Amino acid sequence: MNKYQGRQTVANASFLSTFITTTKDGICYVNLSNDFVTKHTGGEMAEKLTIYSIVNSLCELDHVDKVQFLIEGKKVDKFKEHLEIKTPFTAISSMRAFETDMAKNQE
């Protein structure tokens, strides 16, 4: 069984406020509602799983190379407590890369 199976990446009753247009420089701006943030369970792993599930999905689209998150239309420093979101994200190639990053941060 996959150790991520059954983990919820997006909180119940939360939603993306708006998808703002993808700019000509390949950045897709995603405007999250404040509820999306406050209803999220938090924790470093859960935050990264949520953000990268969105990033990896959007980066599969033509002309999207990076994803910049906004909260209620504004750039903020962190998603909850652990993950900085002030700069655009690129897709990760695998959860293995994600786990390696997590292991380095725990040392």
Side-chain angles (χ1 to χ4, degrees):
M1 179 167 139
N2 183 328
K3 65 181 170 182
Y4 299 109
Q5 189 173 0
R7 290 193 183 185
Q8 186 173 339
T9 59
V10 178
N12 288 335
S14 64
F15 59 95
L16 303 174
S17 288
T18 311
F19 278 101
I20 301 175
T21 61
T22 302
T23 65
K24 63 184 169 209
D25 59 359
I27 300 174
C28 179
Y29 292 85
V30 177
N31 188 19
L32 301 173
S33 70
N34 196 48
D35 277 350
F36 189 93
V37 178
T38 59
K39 291 181 179 181
H40 191 278
T41 58
E44 186 174 7
M45 177 67 80
E47 291 174 33
K48 284 188 175 186
L49 285 170
T50 298
I51 293 300
Y52 280 108
S53 67
I54 296 168
V55 170
N56 282 5
S57 295
L58 291 173
C59 285
E60 289 291 320
L61 300 173
D62 290 340
H63 309 295
V64 175
D65 300 316
K66 297 180 181 181
V67 177
Q68 173 67 62
F69 290 95
L70 307 171
I71 308 298
E72 299 294 342
K74 298 177 183 171
K75 279 189 182 182
V76 297
D77 289 337
K78 292 190 177 188
F79 174 59
K80 293 256 323 164
E81 299 173 13
H82 301 96
L83 187 61
E84 290 190 16
I85 61 169
K86 60 186 171 189
T87 58
F89 286 79
T90 56
I92 58 173
S93 59
S94 70
M95 287 308 292
R96 185 164 298 151
F98 175 76
E99 290 170 334
T100 300
D101 180 50
M102 289 294 294
K104 285 180 186 175
N105 289 334
Q106 293 176 357
E107 292 176 350

XYZ file of all heavy atoms in Angstrom:
849
model
N 0.841 -1.190 0.000
C 0.000 0.000 0.000
C 0.884 1.250 0.000
O 1.839 1.338 0.747
C -0.891 -0.018 1.241
C -1.785 1.185 1.354
S -3.051 0.885 2.607
C -3.078 2.443 3.407
N 0.567 2.195 -0.820
C 1.274 3.458 -0.902
C 1.087 4.228 0.399
O -0.018 4.383 0.881
C 0.712 4.251 -2.080
C 1.418 5.559 -2.303
O 1.890 6.197 -1.376
N 1.466 5.967 -3.550
N 2.175 4.748 0.969
C 2.058 5.433 2.255
C 1.304 6.755 2.151
O 0.902 7.316 3.154
C 3.415 5.642 2.896
C 4.349 6.556 2.169
C 5.651 6.618 2.935
C 6.731 7.327 2.161
N 7.974 7.342 2.899
N 1.087 7.267 0.936
C 0.317 8.496 0.759
C -1.159 8.213 0.467
O -1.966 9.121 0.453
C 0.910 9.353 -0.359
C 2.315 9.758 -0.059
C 3.381 9.213 -0.753
C 2.590 10.655 0.958
C 4.683 9.573 -0.452
C 3.889 11.013 1.268
C 4.924 10.467 0.565
O 6.203 10.811 0.861
N -1.493 6.953 0.249
C -2.853 6.588 -0.071
C -3.762 6.946 1.094
O -3.459 6.683 2.248
C -2.935 5.090 -0.356
C -4.258 4.648 -0.912
C -4.198 3.188 -1.338
O -3.181 2.526 -1.209
N -5.299 2.701 -1.835
N -4.880 7.555 0.797
C -5.845 7.919 1.821
C -5.589 9.272 2.462
O -6.391 9.745 3.239
N -4.482 9.915 2.130
C -4.220 11.248 2.677
C -4.937 12.276 1.827
O -4.900 12.246 0.613
C -2.730 11.564 2.694
C -1.992 10.756 3.709
C -0.619 11.299 3.908
N 0.091 10.449 4.846
C 1.278 10.703 5.302
N 1.907 11.782 4.916
N 1.862 9.904 6.149
N -5.587 13.178 2.493
C -6.335 14.217 1.817
C -5.437 15.420 1.614
O -4.794 15.891 2.548
C -7.531 14.597 2.684
C -8.473 15.559 2.050
C -9.697 15.749 2.914
O -10.019 14.914 3.743
N -10.373 16.843 2.714
N -5.361 15.929 0.389
C -4.488 17.069 0.126
C -5.229 18.392 0.154
O -4.626 19.441 0.288
C -3.766 16.931 -1.225
O -4.728 16.834 -2.258
C -2.844 15.737 -1.230
N -6.542 18.375 0.033
C -7.336 19.596 0.062
C -8.436 19.423 1.105
O -9.143 18.427 1.106
C -7.958 19.897 -1.322
C -8.820 21.143 -1.269
C -6.864 20.047 -2.365
N -8.566 20.402 1.996
C -9.544 20.322 3.088
C -10.973 20.311 2.564
O -11.283 20.929 1.547
C -9.349 21.510 4.033
N -11.854 19.613 3.275
C -13.275 19.622 2.936
C -13.808 21.048 2.984
O -13.394 21.847 3.818
C -14.068 18.773 3.935
C -13.824 17.298 3.755
O -13.468 16.850 2.674
N -14.000 16.547 4.814
N -14.726 21.347 2.109
C -15.412 22.642 2.053
C -14.468 23.805 1.752
O -14.774 24.942 2.043
C -16.183 22.907 3.344
N -13.300 23.532 1.204
C -12.413 24.613 0.797
C -12.430 24.686 -0.722
O -12.863 23.760 -1.383
C -10.995 24.396 1.322
O -10.441 23.247 0.759
N -11.954 25.787 -1.249
C -12.002 25.930 -2.694
C -10.954 26.911 -3.184
O -10.423 27.696 -2.412
C -13.387 26.393 -3.150
C -13.804 27.709 -2.545
C -13.602 28.884 -3.227
C -14.403 27.754 -1.293
C -13.978 30.091 -2.678
C -14.776 28.968 -0.740
C -14.573 30.139 -1.426
N -10.678 26.819 -4.467
C -9.828 27.804 -5.116
C -10.718 28.980 -5.466
O -11.761 28.798 -6.085
C -9.213 27.235 -6.394
C -8.383 25.965 -6.258
C -7.976 25.483 -7.642
C -7.169 26.207 -5.399
N -10.341 30.185 -5.069
C -11.168 31.358 -5.368
C -11.275 31.566 -6.867
O -12.347 31.656 -7.424
C -10.573 32.621 -4.754
O -10.719 32.624 -3.375
N -10.145 31.644 -7.518
C -10.109 32.002 -8.918
C -8.822 31.502 -9.538
O -7.807 31.462 -8.869
C -10.097 33.550 -9.071
O -11.115 34.111 -8.269
C -10.268 33.966 -10.496
N -8.890 31.138 -10.787
C -7.660 30.950 -11.543
C -7.476 32.217 -12.356
O -8.287 32.534 -13.214
C -7.756 29.748 -12.495
C -7.491 28.448 -11.831
C -8.527 27.631 -11.474
C -6.199 28.056 -11.555
C -8.291 26.425 -10.858
C -5.947 26.852 -10.934
C -6.998 26.037 -10.586
N -6.438 32.938 -12.057
C -6.126 34.133 -12.828
C -5.378 33.661 -14.072
O -4.823 32.583 -14.087
C -5.296 35.108 -11.974
C -6.092 35.480 -10.720
C -4.937 36.359 -12.748
C -5.346 36.332 -9.726
N -5.336 34.448 -15.084
C -4.758 34.020 -16.356
C -3.297 33.602 -16.245
O -2.568 34.057 -15.384
C -4.850 35.152 -17.399
O -4.104 36.261 -16.919
C -6.276 35.546 -17.645
N -2.926 32.729 -17.140
C -1.522 32.346 -17.283
C -0.835 33.450 -18.063
O -1.301 33.839 -19.128
C -1.411 31.021 -18.052
O -2.127 30.021 -17.361
C 0.038 30.611 -18.194
N 0.256 33.941 -17.541
C 0.937 35.053 -18.196
C 1.812 34.561 -19.336
O 2.089 33.381 -19.461
C 1.813 35.827 -17.190
O 2.847 34.963 -16.742
C 1.002 36.324 -16.020
N 2.280 35.497 -20.124
C 3.114 35.144 -21.268
C 4.462 34.577 -20.860
O 5.132 33.959 -21.646
C 3.283 36.350 -22.193
C 3.994 37.520 -21.557
C 4.047 38.706 -22.484
C 4.523 39.913 -21.699
N 4.006 41.141 -22.223
N 4.844 34.769 -19.595
C 6.121 34.212 -19.150
C 5.976 32.806 -18.576
O 6.899 32.276 -17.976
C 6.820 35.146 -18.156
C 6.003 35.430 -16.910
O 4.872 34.922 -16.800
O 6.498 36.165 -16.038
N 4.815 32.184 -18.750
C 4.614 30.802 -18.340
C 4.232 30.596 -16.892
O 4.242 29.470 -16.404
N 3.873 31.663 -16.184
C 3.478 31.536 -14.784
C 1.959 31.576 -14.682
O 1.317 32.504 -15.158
C 4.085 32.659 -13.920
C 5.606 32.619 -13.986
C 3.606 32.532 -12.473
C 6.300 33.779 -13.288
N 1.402 30.547 -14.045
C -0.034 30.487 -13.792
C -0.279 30.991 -12.368
O 0.281 30.451 -11.415
C -0.529 29.050 -13.928
S -2.294 28.864 -13.618
N -1.085 32.010 -12.229
C -1.397 32.576 -10.919
C -2.663 31.916 -10.380
O -3.696 31.942 -11.031
C -1.575 34.089 -11.024
C -0.279 34.791 -11.339
C 0.151 34.922 -12.655
C 0.528 35.276 -10.322
C 1.359 35.540 -12.942
C 1.732 35.894 -10.604
C 2.137 36.021 -11.919
O 3.340 36.631 -12.199
N -2.553 31.326 -9.191
C -3.682 30.631 -8.569
C -4.059 31.396 -7.309
O -3.255 31.546 -6.392
C -3.319 29.176 -8.211
C -4.471 28.494 -7.494
C -2.938 28.409 -9.457
N -5.292 31.870 -7.281
C -5.788 32.651 -6.161
C -6.577 31.739 -5.227
O -7.664 31.290 -5.568
C -6.668 33.788 -6.693
C -7.064 34.761 -5.613
O -6.440 34.817 -4.555
N -8.090 35.534 -5.883
N -6.009 31.457 -4.057
C -6.670 30.597 -3.080
C -7.512 31.437 -2.126
O -7.139 32.556 -1.783
C -5.630 29.828 -2.262
C -4.670 28.934 -3.036
C -3.608 28.380 -2.088
C -5.403 27.808 -3.722
N -8.621 30.878 -1.685
C -9.439 31.567 -0.694
C -8.769 31.470 0.673
O -7.959 30.575 0.919
C -10.830 30.935 -0.616
O -10.747 29.651 -0.026
N -9.116 32.358 1.566
C -8.608 32.292 2.929
C -9.077 30.993 3.594
O -8.345 30.393 4.381
C -9.051 33.513 3.729
C -8.235 33.669 4.985
O -7.009 33.599 4.946
N -8.900 33.869 6.100
N -10.292 30.537 3.256
C -10.806 29.267 3.791
C -9.915 28.097 3.391
O -9.741 27.158 4.160
C -12.219 28.978 3.281
C -13.292 29.679 4.088
O -12.964 30.239 5.155
O -14.450 29.658 3.652
N -9.399 28.144 2.180
C -8.518 27.075 1.717
C -7.336 26.930 2.668
O -6.907 25.831 2.988
C -8.022 27.394 0.304
C -7.281 26.270 -0.357
C -7.952 25.374 -1.167
C -5.914 26.109 -0.179
C -7.280 24.330 -1.789
C -5.231 25.071 -0.792
C -5.923 24.176 -1.601
N -6.830 28.045 3.150
C -5.688 28.041 4.058
C -6.116 27.683 5.482
O -5.541 26.792 6.102
C -4.964 29.408 4.039
C -3.814 29.418 5.027
C -4.470 29.725 2.636
N -7.120 28.355 6.007
C -7.492 28.153 7.409
C -8.073 26.772 7.682
O -7.903 26.246 8.774
C -8.476 29.234 7.899
O -9.655 29.204 7.090
C -7.841 30.612 7.849
N -8.728 26.176 6.703
C -9.321 24.845 6.908
C -8.345 23.705 6.619
O -8.666 22.553 6.858
C -10.574 24.689 6.049
C -11.706 25.558 6.527
C -12.944 25.387 5.686
C -14.052 26.273 6.222
N -15.279 26.117 5.450
N -7.178 24.050 6.127
C -6.160 23.040 5.860
C -5.622 22.508 7.182
O -5.433 23.266 8.135
C -5.028 23.641 5.027
C -4.075 22.648 4.488
N -3.039 22.145 5.231
C -4.008 22.046 3.272
C -2.364 21.274 4.496
N -2.931 21.200 3.307
N -5.342 21.208 7.247
C -4.880 20.590 8.489
C -3.509 21.064 8.930
O -3.182 21.025 10.111
C -4.835 19.054 8.352
O -3.966 18.723 7.262
C -6.204 18.484 8.115
N -2.700 21.519 8.008
C -1.367 22.009 8.345
C -0.360 20.887 8.507
O -0.658 19.719 8.288
N 0.826 21.254 8.890
C 1.933 20.309 8.989
C 2.748 20.360 7.717
O 2.215 20.549 6.620
N 4.042 20.206 7.855
C 4.949 20.367 6.715
C 4.618 19.424 5.562
O 4.528 19.841 4.408
C 6.395 20.168 7.165
C 7.395 20.469 6.073
C 8.834 20.416 6.561
O 9.086 20.021 7.716
O 9.709 20.765 5.761
N 4.425 18.161 5.842
C 4.141 17.187 4.781
C 2.814 17.494 4.100
O 2.730 17.507 2.869
C 4.130 15.767 5.349
C 3.779 14.703 4.337
S 5.012 14.499 3.056
C 6.189 13.495 3.913
N 1.781 17.742 4.871
C 0.457 18.016 4.297
C 0.472 19.284 3.447
O -0.150 19.336 2.379
C -0.583 18.130 5.409
N 1.179 20.294 3.904
C 1.264 21.539 3.132
C 1.944 21.300 1.787
O 1.467 21.759 0.748
C 2.026 22.605 3.922
C 1.261 23.109 5.129
C 2.066 24.050 6.002
O 2.906 24.808 5.462
O 1.865 24.023 7.230
N 3.055 20.586 1.799
C 3.773 20.313 0.545
C 2.951 19.432 -0.383
O 2.926 19.668 -1.593
C 5.133 19.685 0.828
C 6.145 20.691 1.327
C 7.524 20.103 1.430
C 8.527 21.169 1.817
N 9.905 20.678 1.794
N 2.278 18.430 0.159
C 1.447 17.566 -0.683
C 0.339 18.370 -1.361
O 0.051 18.176 -2.543
C 0.847 16.422 0.130
C 1.802 15.304 0.509
C 1.139 14.353 1.513
C 2.262 14.536 -0.709
N -0.287 19.274 -0.627
C -1.354 20.091 -1.193
C -0.827 20.990 -2.296
O -1.367 21.006 -3.411
C -2.014 20.944 -0.091
O -2.610 20.076 0.873
C -3.062 21.877 -0.667
N 0.216 21.733 -2.002
C 0.745 22.691 -2.973
C 1.271 21.980 -4.217
O 0.963 22.358 -5.346
C 1.830 23.577 -2.330
C 1.209 24.484 -1.256
C 2.578 24.391 -3.385
C 0.127 25.430 -1.743
N 2.054 20.912 -4.023
C 2.621 20.225 -5.188
C 1.587 19.436 -5.981
O 1.782 19.213 -7.177
C 3.826 19.377 -4.798
C 5.073 20.217 -4.662
C 5.620 20.485 -3.423
C 5.677 20.774 -5.787
C 6.757 21.284 -3.298
C 6.806 21.574 -5.676
C 7.330 21.822 -4.437
O 8.444 22.614 -4.331
N 0.487 19.035 -5.372
C -0.557 18.382 -6.165
C -1.163 19.380 -7.142
O -1.468 19.039 -8.288
C -1.629 17.749 -5.274
O -2.372 18.718 -4.579
N -1.300 20.615 -6.717
C -1.813 21.668 -7.604
C -0.754 22.036 -8.644
O -1.037 22.108 -9.847
C -2.236 22.910 -6.789
C -3.407 22.561 -5.862
C -2.598 24.069 -7.715
C -3.709 23.621 -4.820
N 0.475 22.264 -8.198
C 1.560 22.661 -9.087
C 1.792 21.615 -10.172
O 1.846 21.938 -11.361
C 2.865 22.918 -8.300
C 4.053 23.100 -9.236
C 2.715 24.125 -7.396
N 1.924 20.362 -9.773
C 2.205 19.314 -10.761
C 1.070 19.170 -11.767
O 1.322 18.931 -12.949
C 2.488 17.986 -10.071
C 3.889 17.921 -9.507
O 4.633 18.882 -9.538
N 4.246 16.777 -8.959
N -0.167 19.319 -11.323
C -1.304 19.237 -12.252
C -1.283 20.384 -13.248
O -1.444 20.182 -14.453
C -2.626 19.250 -11.476
O -2.732 18.102 -10.684
N -1.093 21.593 -12.765
C -1.119 22.751 -13.656
C 0.070 22.787 -14.610
O -0.068 23.221 -15.760
C -1.185 24.046 -12.849
C -2.507 24.279 -12.126
C -2.419 25.499 -11.223
C -3.646 24.413 -13.126
N 1.222 22.336 -14.154
C 2.406 22.344 -15.022
C 2.306 21.318 -16.154
O 3.121 21.341 -17.079
C 3.680 22.137 -14.195
S 4.143 23.616 -13.262
N 1.309 20.452 -16.103
C 1.045 19.539 -17.217
C 0.369 20.259 -18.378
O 0.358 19.755 -19.493
C 0.149 18.377 -16.754
C 0.837 17.394 -15.840
C 1.898 16.577 -16.565
O 1.660 16.169 -17.718
O 2.969 16.358 -15.966
N -0.198 21.427 -18.128
C -0.887 22.183 -19.171
C 0.120 22.881 -20.078
O 1.203 23.271 -19.634
C -1.817 23.226 -18.544
C -2.915 22.690 -17.634
C -3.635 23.850 -16.954
C -3.888 21.819 -18.416
N -0.279 23.053 -21.333
C 0.567 23.799 -22.270
C 0.776 25.215 -21.752
O -0.134 25.829 -21.217
C -0.088 23.868 -23.650
C -0.097 22.516 -24.344
O 0.710 21.649 -23.960
O -0.924 22.334 -25.255
N 1.965 25.711 -21.902
C 2.330 27.091 -21.584
C 2.359 27.403 -20.087
O 2.406 28.571 -19.715
C 1.427 28.095 -22.307
C 1.319 27.830 -23.777
N 2.401 27.939 -24.626
C 0.279 27.436 -24.541
C 2.013 27.642 -25.852
N 0.741 27.330 -25.837
N 2.279 26.388 -19.219
C 2.436 26.623 -17.779
C 3.736 25.965 -17.340
O 3.878 24.750 -17.387
C 1.252 26.068 -16.956
C 1.512 26.233 -15.473
C -0.050 26.746 -17.352
N 4.680 26.798 -16.938
C 5.974 26.319 -16.462
C 6.108 26.435 -14.952
O 6.834 25.682 -14.324
C 7.110 27.112 -17.114
C 7.101 26.999 -18.625
O 6.913 25.875 -19.135
O 7.260 28.038 -19.291
N 5.417 27.419 -14.386
C 5.492 27.685 -12.955
C 4.116 28.084 -12.441
O 3.267 28.529 -13.211
C 6.468 28.831 -12.665
C 7.902 28.542 -13.056
C 8.784 29.730 -12.736
C 10.212 29.448 -13.158
N 11.095 30.585 -12.841
N 3.946 27.951 -11.127
C 2.685 28.332 -10.485
C 2.996 29.273 -9.327
O 3.818 28.963 -8.466
C 1.918 27.099 -9.964
C 0.643 27.513 -9.244
C 1.603 26.143 -11.115
N 2.325 30.423 -9.335
C 2.450 31.397 -8.247
C 1.130 31.414 -7.483
O 0.075 31.590 -8.066
C 2.733 32.797 -8.800
C 2.719 33.893 -7.745
C 3.872 33.754 -6.768
O 5.024 33.822 -7.162
N 3.565 33.557 -5.501
N 1.212 31.213 -6.177
C 0.010 31.214 -5.347
C -0.233 32.590 -4.746
O 0.698 33.284 -4.328
C 0.138 30.184 -4.216
C 0.084 28.779 -4.722
C 1.244 28.085 -5.001
C -1.130 28.156 -4.943
C 1.202 26.787 -5.485
C -1.190 26.861 -5.428
C -0.018 26.176 -5.704
N -1.509 32.946 -4.716
C -1.980 34.157 -4.052
C -3.040 33.726 -3.041
O -3.730 32.726 -3.250
C -2.604 35.119 -5.064
C -1.767 35.486 -6.285
C -2.617 36.256 -7.290
C -0.551 36.280 -5.889
N -3.176 34.468 -1.960
C -4.251 34.237 -1.005
C -5.124 35.481 -1.020
O -4.660 36.579 -0.702
C -3.711 33.987 0.434
C -2.649 32.897 0.459
C -4.866 33.681 1.386
C -3.095 31.522 0.016
N -6.377 35.296 -1.406
C -7.313 36.419 -1.551
C -6.705 37.537 -2.393
O -6.827 38.714 -2.092
C -7.755 36.947 -0.182
C -8.475 35.933 0.691
C -9.838 35.490 0.156
O -10.419 36.194 -0.708
O -10.312 34.425 0.608
N -6.006 37.143 -3.469
C -5.464 38.098 -4.424
C -4.123 38.713 -4.060
O -3.633 39.567 -4.786
N -3.522 38.286 -2.939
C -2.262 38.887 -2.502
C -1.177 37.844 -2.332
O -1.438 36.726 -1.893
C -2.459 39.608 -1.169
C -3.443 40.742 -1.247
C -3.647 41.364 0.110
C -4.711 42.449 -0.003
N -5.106 42.949 1.293
N 0.060 38.229 -2.658
C 1.202 37.358 -2.377
C 1.425 37.351 -0.878
O 1.377 38.395 -0.230
C 2.471 37.867 -3.063
C 2.589 37.500 -4.501
C 3.973 37.863 -5.009
C 4.109 37.550 -6.475
N 5.451 37.858 -6.964
N 1.646 36.166 -0.338
C 1.957 36.027 1.082
C 3.236 35.210 1.216
O 3.639 34.518 0.288
C 0.804 35.364 1.877
C -0.453 36.222 1.829
C 0.501 33.969 1.367
N 3.862 35.285 2.380
C 5.128 34.582 2.588
C 4.955 33.075 2.726
O 5.702 32.308 2.148
C 5.850 35.115 3.823
C 6.403 36.507 3.611
O 6.617 36.900 2.448
O 6.606 37.208 4.610
N 3.956 32.638 3.514
C 3.808 31.209 3.791
C 2.375 30.752 3.568
O 1.429 31.505 3.748
C 4.214 30.891 5.229
C 5.695 31.073 5.463
C 6.114 30.522 6.794
C 7.615 30.659 6.942
N 8.107 29.976 8.108
N 2.244 29.458 3.214
C 0.924 28.859 3.032
C 0.226 28.706 4.378
O -0.872 29.166 4.575
C 1.059 27.509 2.318
C -0.221 26.747 2.214
C -1.307 27.292 1.561
C -0.336 25.487 2.758
C -2.505 26.589 1.458
C -1.514 24.776 2.653
C -2.599 25.330 2.012
N 0.842 28.048 5.321
C 0.347 27.943 6.693
C 1.508 28.323 7.596
O 1.722 29.482 7.834
C -0.156 26.530 7.015
C -1.377 26.115 6.273
C -2.691 26.092 6.961
C -2.884 25.694 8.355
N -4.166 26.105 8.884
N 2.247 27.322 8.019
C 3.359 27.584 8.929
C 4.715 27.173 8.365
O 5.739 27.662 8.809
C 3.138 26.825 10.242
C 1.880 27.229 10.967
C 1.604 26.345 12.164
O 2.499 25.591 12.580
O 0.482 26.403 12.673
N 4.717 26.251 7.418
C 5.983 25.648 6.997
C 6.439 25.988 5.589
O 7.629 26.075 5.342
C 5.888 24.115 7.117
C 5.582 23.659 8.490
N 4.290 23.371 8.902
C 6.367 23.463 9.564
C 4.318 23.004 10.167
N 5.570 23.047 10.600
N 5.524 26.140 4.677
C 5.882 26.221 3.267
C 5.829 27.654 2.743
O 4.769 28.282 2.736
C 4.954 25.330 2.440
C 5.304 25.167 0.977
C 6.686 24.528 0.808
C 4.258 24.315 0.285
N 6.979 28.154 2.309
C 7.033 29.496 1.728
C 6.436 29.457 0.322
O 6.766 28.583 -0.475
C 8.470 29.998 1.684
C 9.023 30.292 3.059
C 10.350 31.019 3.032
O 10.723 31.564 1.973
O 10.995 31.035 4.081
N 5.544 30.415 0.044
C 4.888 30.447 -1.269
C 5.028 31.807 -1.942
O 4.275 32.116 -2.856
C 3.391 30.060 -1.163
C 2.611 31.034 -0.276
C 3.238 28.627 -0.671
C 1.104 30.851 -0.341
N 5.997 32.594 -1.523
C 6.136 33.936 -2.087
C 6.734 33.954 -3.492
O 6.651 34.955 -4.180
C 6.930 34.830 -1.148
C 8.328 34.364 -0.854
C 8.989 35.225 0.204
C 10.291 34.585 0.627
N 10.853 35.257 1.777
N 7.338 32.837 -3.914
C 7.895 32.750 -5.262
C 7.220 31.607 -6.014
O 6.674 30.686 -5.399
C 9.417 32.512 -5.222
O 9.682 31.314 -4.500
C 10.132 33.685 -4.559
N 7.251 31.646 -7.336
C 6.599 30.599 -8.130
C 7.228 29.216 -7.921
O 8.420 29.093 -7.662
C 6.803 31.056 -9.573
C 7.037 32.520 -9.484
C 7.769 32.725 -8.184
N 6.398 28.188 -8.039
C 6.801 26.789 -7.909
C 6.905 26.158 -9.283
O 6.140 26.484 -10.177
C 5.749 25.989 -7.128
C 5.732 26.258 -5.665
C 5.119 27.396 -5.157
C 6.321 25.376 -4.782
C 5.096 27.640 -3.800
C 6.302 25.610 -3.421
C 5.689 26.749 -2.934
N 7.828 25.204 -9.425
C 7.890 24.348 -10.605
C 7.499 22.941 -10.164
O 7.576 22.605 -8.980
C 9.296 24.323 -11.231
O 10.229 23.908 -10.238
C 9.687 25.690 -11.766
N 7.092 22.122 -11.105
C 6.688 20.753 -10.791
C 7.874 19.944 -10.284
O 9.021 20.212 -10.644
C 6.099 20.087 -12.037
N 7.583 18.969 -9.442
C 8.614 18.019 -9.020
C 8.405 16.746 -9.816
O 7.295 16.415 -10.204
C 8.585 17.746 -7.499
C 7.232 17.222 -7.043
C 8.981 18.999 -6.733
C 7.191 16.789 -5.590
N 9.490 16.042 -10.055
C 9.423 14.872 -10.931
C 8.816 13.651 -10.266
O 8.259 12.796 -10.936
C 10.812 14.536 -11.464
O 11.682 14.273 -10.376
N 8.939 13.563 -8.951
C 8.402 12.388 -8.268
C 8.281 12.653 -6.781
O 8.894 13.574 -6.249
C 9.316 11.179 -8.481
O 10.525 11.366 -7.762
N 7.519 11.817 -6.116
C 7.423 11.908 -4.664
C 8.757 11.524 -4.031
O 9.074 11.957 -2.939
C 6.294 11.029 -4.135
C 4.921 11.589 -4.433
S 4.719 13.314 -3.896
C 4.780 13.128 -2.128
N 9.560 10.750 -4.719
C 10.874 10.384 -4.197
C 11.731 11.636 -4.018
O 12.408 11.806 -3.008
C 11.568 9.385 -5.112
C 12.882 8.895 -4.528
C 13.361 7.665 -5.219
N 12.364 6.621 -4.998
C 12.127 5.625 -5.827
N 12.819 5.503 -6.921
N 11.205 4.728 -5.572
N 11.682 12.543 -4.994
C 12.407 13.807 -4.876
C 11.860 14.609 -3.706
O 12.602 15.216 -2.945
C 12.289 14.602 -6.168
N 10.578 14.580 -3.552
C 9.912 15.261 -2.444
C 10.366 14.682 -1.107
O 10.703 15.401 -0.182
C 8.397 15.114 -2.628
C 7.571 15.654 -1.509
C 7.384 17.011 -1.363
C 6.967 14.797 -0.610
C 6.600 17.508 -0.336
C 6.184 15.284 0.410
C 6.005 16.640 0.548
N 10.397 13.347 -1.001
C 10.817 12.683 0.233
C 12.283 12.970 0.550
O 12.652 13.170 1.699
C 10.597 11.176 0.134
C 9.152 10.791 0.150
C 8.932 9.327 -0.179
O 9.772 8.722 -0.867
O 7.914 8.794 0.272
N 13.130 13.022 -0.478
C 14.545 13.335 -0.280
C 14.690 14.733 0.299
O 15.449 14.958 1.239
C 15.316 13.226 -1.609
O 15.185 11.889 -2.101
C 16.778 13.574 -1.443
N 13.918 15.669 -0.234
C 13.921 17.036 0.269
C 13.467 17.067 1.728
O 14.058 17.740 2.560
C 13.011 17.910 -0.603
C 12.963 19.342 -0.136
O 14.050 19.934 0.075
O 11.862 19.876 0.026
N 12.433 16.317 2.045
C 11.916 16.265 3.417
C 12.971 15.683 4.360
O 13.168 16.187 5.458
C 10.643 15.413 3.481
C 9.430 16.045 2.832
S 8.875 17.522 3.669
C 8.350 16.824 5.215
N 13.657 14.627 3.939
C 14.673 13.980 4.784
C 15.824 14.947 5.076
O 16.315 15.012 6.196
C 15.189 12.717 4.126
N 16.247 15.703 4.081
C 17.327 16.675 4.267
C 16.920 17.729 5.293
O 17.722 18.158 6.104
C 17.684 17.352 2.941
C 18.471 16.466 2.017
C 18.776 17.210 0.737
C 19.438 16.302 -0.271
N 19.645 16.978 -1.560
N 15.661 18.154 5.241
C 15.181 19.190 6.154
C 15.071 18.686 7.584
O 15.080 19.475 8.515
C 13.835 19.733 5.704
C 13.967 20.575 4.453
O 15.016 21.148 4.190
N 12.914 20.656 3.677
N 14.942 17.378 7.789
C 14.809 16.812 9.120
C 16.143 16.523 9.772
O 16.197 16.230 10.947
C 13.947 15.544 9.074
C 12.506 15.856 8.717
C 11.675 14.596 8.564
O 12.179 13.475 8.676
N 10.406 14.773 8.300
N 17.235 16.573 9.026
C 18.571 16.283 9.582
C 19.079 17.428 10.421
O 18.743 18.534 10.319
C 19.559 15.985 8.448
C 19.234 14.697 7.754
C 20.149 14.437 6.562
O 20.921 15.330 6.150
O 20.089 13.327 6.040
